[in-house]
Amino acid sequence: MNLYGIEIDSKNVPELDPAFIPILKFNRAFLKDAAKPVSIAVERAGGQIATTHTFIHGTPEMAAADRYYIDRLVKTELWMKGGYKVYVNDKDIYDYLRGVYCEGGARAFDWEFMADVFEKPFEVVLTGDIPETLDKPVPMGGHLEGCRIGFDAGGSDRKVSAVIDGETVFSEEVVWLPKVNPDPTYHYEGIVSALKSAAAHMPRVDAVGVSSAGIYINNRTMKASLFLKVPKDLYEEKVKDIYIRAITDTFGDVPYAVANDGDVSALAGTMSLNDNNVLGIAMGTSEAVGYVDENGQITGWLNELAFVPVDASPDAMQDEWSGDIGCGVKYFCQDGVNKLAPRAGIELDESLSPAEKLKVTQKLMEADDPRAAKVYESIGCYLGHTLAYYYEKYGFRYVLLLGRVMSGKGGDLLLEKCQQVLNDEYPEAAAGFKLTLPDEKFRRVGQSMAAASLPELKR
């Protein structure tokens, strides 16, 4: 395969997507002959910095390859760690980034999204003094003492647990419809109702932890699909502090913490494994990811790997929301299965929802249909190449694979193919981390109990 004059060799190619070019394979081939030093730093909340020292070719004939490499690198850093300011020390690269991260530019979606999340204008800065990496992980999770409430806000149901000294004494699951409701009062009342329901089963409330889909900074709801229909003015006024208000209005000045549900899943993984450094990937409606670091801390990174590039092919599938191509959201969720099924000869009724289409392929897989097997083997091939890339970025010790795509025989075949690709092409990664699935202990820990462990009690 050749892309922008770079020859890329890959032994394992997805049968149903032979044009797939693993981003890590492109990066490694690109860097073989790149000799001009370039540094990129991305700044996020609290002055935290993610810095990459790398190389480009720096010649006119390789300008397109240089731009593509840097474009994918910056995109990865932004969605993995978050940021509103990009520092660069190369004038040509600076000019390129300024031209795409702007209104009407190729990365206008990312430009606007990050500005909204961090509530600051997005900037690209040319400087010879690139700041070095600075992380400030938040000690969060693993606290089980006292009387705690754990609340897990999902798109179709909400779960709450009352936990006393690590033992769940009450749990409840209630159907709700947050994504279609434009009135934030509906959401607020649902949250408060769940909190009161759990509190009724304990002598007191010492702390409250919340797990919720979306991006949370300082416990504030910066972006979340649960509030999709809430108008922007009401979002600013009623949603950004909705969990803080619900907790303090109900219980007063108790410790609380709000975290992304992917991070809380990874935390539940650390609690079931009795070890840290876990990347959790839930393959369902989207690709939801969370990470708990070597010290058992939630990093404060975005970990929105659904929007991190994984496929360098110019013909890669486009994500309707961001407008970009080749990002994880089209490979590691039900959309990935539904994309590949027709290529395997599986007819899908277009009147079905994405979840219903997935069930068609799953049912065929349970019957050992070879067409369905090709779908799961192809996704396993995607995943093997991509986990090697994620490993290079995170250095995790475990990958916990969750979600409906991983269920049943299809998930088993996917996992087997993924491990084969890792062993065959990325032995250093295969030796560095372990693939794991949820076990009974993980299910006992549960999302809402892990959420309950988020806040530390006041001393």
Side-chain angles (χ1 to χ4, degrees), residues 189-403:
E189 290 177 349
I191 297 164
V192 169
S193 174
L195 297 178
K196 287 182 175 179
S197 184
H201 293 80
M202 297 189 295
R204 63 184 187 279
V205 174
D206 295 324
V208 180
V210 175
S211 163
S212 184
I215 296 173
Y216 299 89
I217 297 175
N218 296 327
N219 300 306
R220 300 178 70 224
T221 310
M222 307 314 293
K223 289 278 186 178
S225 59
L226 296 178
F227 309 98
L228 195 62
K229 296 297 184 182
V230 177
K232 188 166 184 176
D233 57 335
L234 282 178
Y235 191 100
E236 291 290 327
E237 181 185 351
K238 301 285 189 178
V239 172
K240 283 196 171 177
D241 294 327
I242 193 166
Y243 291 117
I244 298 171
R245 287 190 295 110
I247 294 165
T248 56
D249 289 353
T250 309
F251 304 119
D253 185 25
V254 300
Y256 57 82
V258 184
N260 169 267
D261 58 351
D263 283 338
V264 177
S265 288
L267 178 62
T270 69
M271 293 167 73
S272 67
L273 291 164
N274 292 318
D275 204 352
N276 296 324
N277 211 355
V278 176
L279 186 79
I281 303 177
M283 294 188 243
T285 305
S286 181
E287 179 192 11
V289 178
Y291 178 60
V292 174
D293 70 10
E294 181 66 36
N295 299 312
Q297 296 179 331
I298 291 174
T299 58
W301 302 349
L302 294 192
N303 298 314
E304 292 286 345
L305 301 191
F307 302 104
V308 166
V310 302
D311 183 2
S313 170
D315 299 318
M317 197 169 179
Q318 184 182 47
D319 164 43
E320 301 86 354
W321 195 38
S322 71
D324 205 350
I325 65 171
C327 297
V329 68
K330 287 298 181 183
Y331 296 77
F332 307 119
C333 67
Q334 61 193 19
D335 279 0
V337 175
N338 298 338
K339 170 186 76 174
L340 296 177
R343 300 183 190 181
I346 298 171
E347 293 185 16
L348 297 175
D349 184 343
E350 288 306 311
S351 68
L352 298 177
S353 70
E356 289 169 329
K357 289 179 181 178
L358 171 64
K359 287 179 181 178
V360 172
T361 304
Q362 287 177 321
K363 188 174 180 180
L364 290 170
M365 188 66 234
E366 292 305 310
D368 296 317
D369 190 302
R371 297 171 299 169
K374 288 181 181 180
V375 172
Y376 285 100
E377 285 177 343
S378 292
I379 295 175
C381 189
Y382 289 151
L383 188 61
H385 287 293
T386 301
L387 286 182
Y389 182 51
Y390 292 169
Y391 179 70
E392 190 174 86
K393 294 292 182 181
Y394 284 89
F396 41 72
R397 192 155 52 246
Y398 301 93
V399 172
L400 179 67
L401 296 172
L402 310 151

